[in-house]
Structure formats: C-alpha cells, structure tokens
Amino acid sequence: MKKSWSATQRLPGAAALVLVLAMLCLPSLALAQRGEAESGRLMMDTVTQALQVVRNTAMEQPRRRAALRILAEKRFDVGTMARLSLGSTAWAALNGDQQKEFQKVFADDLFGTYIRNLETLGNETVELLRNQQADDRASVLTLVMGTETKAQIEYKLFQREKDWLVYDVIVDGVSVIKTTRNQYEPLL
C-alpha cells in the first residue's frame, strides 16, 4: 500500500513540539548552572542565537524566519524525530522516497509552526534545572515560567560526531515523539 504525506496534512503532536521549541527562544533566559556539560552549553548557545534573531527587528520577516529555521535544523535531528514518530515497523515499511517525503513534510510542518509561534511570544523566562550527560546521551531539563504558565521541558539529545542533537522533547512528562507515534499507529 502506497503511503503519501501531503504538505497540507497536519502532523499530530507537532503543535506541542513547536510550543516547546518556541519556549527555547523567549526574551529572557536564566541559567541555574554554570559549567554545564557540553550538551547543555550547546542548547543554551542555540537559545542565545535564536533570541538574537527574534529580537532583530531590522531583519525582514522572511529572512528572520529562514534564519530561525536554520538554527533549529542545526540542533534538532528531524530525520531521527520523523523516524521515531512513526516507529521502527512503520518506518521500515516505507520505501526510501516515502521516508524522504515524510521527513520533509514533518520538518516543514514542525518548523513552520515553530516559527509562527515564535512571533507571538511573551515575556517568559527559561531556567536550566539539570543537565545530565553520559557517554553519547544527554538530558537537559528546563523550567519555562511566565506570569500565568509554568512548564518543565526536557530535551533528550544524542551525540553525533562532536555535536549534540535533540531527538525528543518531553513537556511536563509527556514525550512529543511517543504522543505523535500513538496518534499515527491507528493510521498505519
């Protein structure tokens, strides 16, 4: 059976991930730890760079959106996230072209929503609560606080060569990848 993913299809769970990504780029950032492990430092570097882009009002919107997408693509492994969101059995059932097509639609939807949400941010703060790193895996736990909201966001990362890439985001104990996979399973 041929599976096709149209650009108009919305990806389940993508909105939650986009909210998490948007919270990375908030107007103020408070670090609870200094001397964090490399994975945490790289995540916070990404946040700082994204904040600079969001705050650059001299940059035209199309250029700002393109710059934000490039930053996100450097830190998030969309290929792995797309594969994990379908699960190994469903992913293996797709041929190479279908996998590429799904990955592109997944990335376009994810980052498109992410960028649109960045443009509506308030004055929340992000605090680094914990950064655990062991071998080629890491977990970076943050707390996002606004005047009316508070959420714990954990970023799961793996090391590829000398870089750390996000492969899942857990918002208040709920995994975006697992939620997305659970929503897709009945359709596959």
Side-chain angles (χ1 to χ4, degrees):
M1 172 181 185
K2 179 174 168 54
K3 295 174 182 79
S4 178
W5 307 97
S6 72
T8 58
Q9 252 179 313
R10 304 314 287 173
L11 298 174
L17 181 55
V18 168
L19 173 64
V20 170
L21 295 174
M23 290 179 178
L24 276 173
C25 303
L26 301 169
S28 72
L29 173 68
L31 295 179
Q33 300 176 347
R34 302 287 177 209
E36 59 270 9
E38 182 71 6
S39 55
R41 185 189 65 74
L42 289 172
M43 283 296 298
M44 293 309 144
D45 286 351
T46 301
V47 170
T48 301
Q49 292 169 12
L51 286 171
Q52 291 170 349
V53 172
V54 169
R55 292 177 178 161
N56 187 349
T57 56
M59 187 183 289
E60 293 180 17
Q61 186 183 48
R63 284 188 57 222
R64 188 171 42 245
R65 286 180 173 183
L68 289 169
R69 181 164 176 146
I70 289 168
L71 284 172
E73 286 174 343
K74 286 182 182 177
R75 187 62 47 222
F76 289 79
D77 185 342
V78 177
T80 297
M81 294 174 82
R83 179 177 48 82
L84 291 173
S85 72
L86 287 183
S88 59
T89 302
W91 184 259
L94 300 176
N95 67 39
D97 289 339
Q98 291 169 327
Q99 290 173 350
K100 287 177 187 174
E101 181 183 357
F102 178 77
Q103 183 176 326
K104 182 188 179 319
V105 171
F106 182 90
D108 288 347
D109 189 62
L110 176 69
F111 292 129
T113 306
Y114 158 65
I115 290 165
R116 285 188 301 276
N117 282 322
L118 281 176
E119 296 169 338
T120 64
L121 290 179
N123 208 15
E124 293 84 0
T125 61
V126 178
E127 181 179 341
L128 178 62
L129 297 179
R130 182 188 74 230
N131 186 15
Q132 294 176 325
Q133 186 174 309
D135 300 323
D136 65 346
R137 299 283 182 211
S139 169
V140 176
L141 181 64
T142 61
L143 178 65
V144 178
M145 293 187 309
T147 55
E148 298 180 22
T149 60
K150 186 175 176 180
Q152 282 195 354
I153 302 172
E154 181 178 5
Y155 302 92
K156 297 288 191 174
L157 301 98
F158 68 94
Q159 190 171 30
R160 180 177 292 154
E161 297 173 11
K162 293 188 178 195
D163 204 3
W164 288 91
L165 302 172
V166 174
Y167 66 89
D168 195 9
V169 182
I170 301 168
V171 182
D172 287 332
V174 180
S175 163
V176 172
I177 295 300
K178 286 181 184 175
T179 300
T180 304
R181 185 181 319 137
N182 289 339
Q183 292 172 340
Y184 277 126
E185 280 179 337
L187 304 173
L188 301 171

